[in-house]
Amino acid sequence: MKGNRKGTRAAGIMLGLAAMCAAAWIPRTVYGAGAIDTEKDDCRILFTLDIGGPDTGNPEAVPPDDKEYYGELSGALDGGDSIAVSLYRVAEVDAGGHFRVLADYRGIGLEEMEEADSGTTAREWAGWAESAAAILGEKETADPEGNGSLPLPDGSAEVVKGEEGRIAGTTGKLRTGMYLVLAEPLETESSIYRFLPFLVSLPGNDYGTGGNDVWNYGDREPVEAGLKPEKEDLYGNLSLEKKLTSYNETLKGASFVFEVKAVKAGRLVYSDVVSLNFDGPGSKSHVIEKIPAGAEVTVQRRGIQ
């Protein structure tokens, strides 16, 4: 089940606070890499899931505590779903590695990125990603039909699960520069997975992480970037109904008491006692809200008061 374009923009805004804590893909200070070839237009990025395992993108390699979290997401991709990723070029880069923010993204504080250097923090990069995602959301709100006011994506990718269990997707034919990455939400039977917006630079360079001090345009070996999912549970409502066909006036009221429990993945996720009160024949109902989707619900009558 693929998300829609509007959902992508909304996710960028809704996850702003979370994005402030997410690591950004940033250019590193380099010493021997030489000048950037700003005319390159065949750069390539490989997207995977950022799941902390030794085999990036493979849910089987995740730590035990994360198995359930990524297991459901992996299972959704087993069913043929994919994660749709869009890239927006927000800045160009010169031969010396300095960025210049493009016109569509100026006036929102993104220009500070032009002064970025090796001391710029991941929090700052995440904040710029949030700002870039927000301006797309504002433009869409002003023109929901997209009549020419919205920047079109400069690239896209479909992240899928391969035969060996690796979750990945590639996009190519990209120019050098800084790109905002937005992944559309993916909905499963019981959850919605949203992905943090982030920035990725082309070309990349691994010098700051112990790799080679060369520019990587992704034309030979793709620049890798990890999508960062957050899980949001889906909820449903349960309507509890009771019909009383006869009534003893001498009782002066009757209350039927029910115990309601919901279990999901072996854990108790809801427990409460509900009373339906009658003062004569008829029907009564009570709506229980926010039962986690996919939970097994049991209702047991505890007696009459």
Side-chain angles (χ1 to χ4, degrees), residues 207-227:
Y207 179 82
T209 55
N212 295 326
D213 185 11
V214 295
W215 294 118
N216 179 11
Y217 297 89
D219 47 355
R220 296 185 180 86
E221 180 179 343
V223 175
E224 291 198 17
L227 302 179

Side-chain angles (χ1 to χ4, degrees), residues 60-126:
E60 297 301 321
V62 304
D65 291 344
D66 294 336
K67 286 283 188 183
E68 178 188 337
Y69 183 94
Y70 288 100
E72 182 189 26
L73 180 54
S74 175
L77 298 176
D78 276 335
D81 288 339
S82 63
I83 302 168
V85 179
S86 297
L87 294 91
Y88 297 84
R89 189 171 182 257
V90 300
E92 59 187 8
V93 62
D94 64 20
H98 301 99
F99 297 103
R100 178 170 176 76
V101 176
L102 301 178
D104 282 334
Y105 301 93
R106 301 189 75 83
I108 57 171
L110 211 60
E111 294 90 338
E112 297 175 3
M113 187 171 63
E114 296 175 352
E115 305 300 322
D117 56 25
S118 60
T120 303
T121 66
R123 183 180 180 87
E124 290 175 292
W125 285 105

Side-chain angles (χ1 to χ4, degrees), residues 50-241:
D50 184 5
I51 56 179
D55 183 6
T56 303
N58 184 353
E60 297 301 321
V62 304
D65 291 344
D66 294 336
K67 286 283 188 183
E68 178 188 337
Y69 183 94
Y70 288 100
E72 182 189 26
L73 180 54
S74 175
L77 298 176
D78 276 335
D81 288 339
S82 63
I83 302 168
V85 179
S86 297
L87 294 91
Y88 297 84
R89 189 171 182 257
V90 300
E92 59 187 8
V93 62
D94 64 20
H98 301 99
F99 297 103
R100 178 170 176 76
V101 176
L102 301 178
D104 282 334
Y105 301 93
R106 301 189 75 83
I108 57 171
L110 211 60
E111 294 90 338
E112 297 175 3
M113 187 171 63
E114 296 175 352
E115 305 300 322
D117 56 25
S118 60
T120 303
T121 66
R123 183 180 180 87
E124 290 175 292
W125 285 105
W128 294 328
E130 177 190 19
S131 296
I135 196 172
L136 288 175
E138 291 170 1
K139 287 179 179 290
E140 185 170 63
T141 300
D143 183 9
E145 299 301 322
N147 295 319
S149 65
L150 293 173
L152 295 175
D154 295 275
S156 62
E158 293 290 330
V159 177
V160 299
K161 187 173 183 180
E163 294 181 358
E164 297 180 357
R166 181 175 171 83
I167 298 173
T170 303
T171 183
K173 297 183 179 180
L174 298 171
R175 292 178 290 170
T176 57
M178 182 67 73
Y179 287 83
L180 171 69
V181 178
L182 295 178
E184 295 186 1
L186 178 68
E187 184 174 325
T188 68
E189 291 183 355
S190 60
S191 307
I192 295 179
Y193 287 86
R194 303 187 189 276
F195 300 87
L196 302 182
F198 63 95
L199 295 167
V200 58
S201 64
L202 288 174
N205 191 289
D206 296 329
Y207 179 82
T209 55
N212 295 326
D213 185 11
V214 295
W215 294 118
N216 179 11
Y217 297 89
D219 47 355
R220 296 185 180 86
E221 180 179 343
V223 175
E224 291 198 17
L227 302 179
K228 301 166 177 60
E230 287 197 337
K231 180 179 178 180
E232 175 186 327
D233 289 332
L234 294 176
Y235 296 92
N237 297 337
L238 174 69
S239 180
L240 186 62
E241 298 181 358

Side-chain angles (χ1 to χ4, degrees), residues 22 27 38 43 45 87 93 127 165 196 255 272:
T38 59
C43 302
I45 300 176
L87 294 91
V93 62
L196 302 182
S255 295
D272 200 3

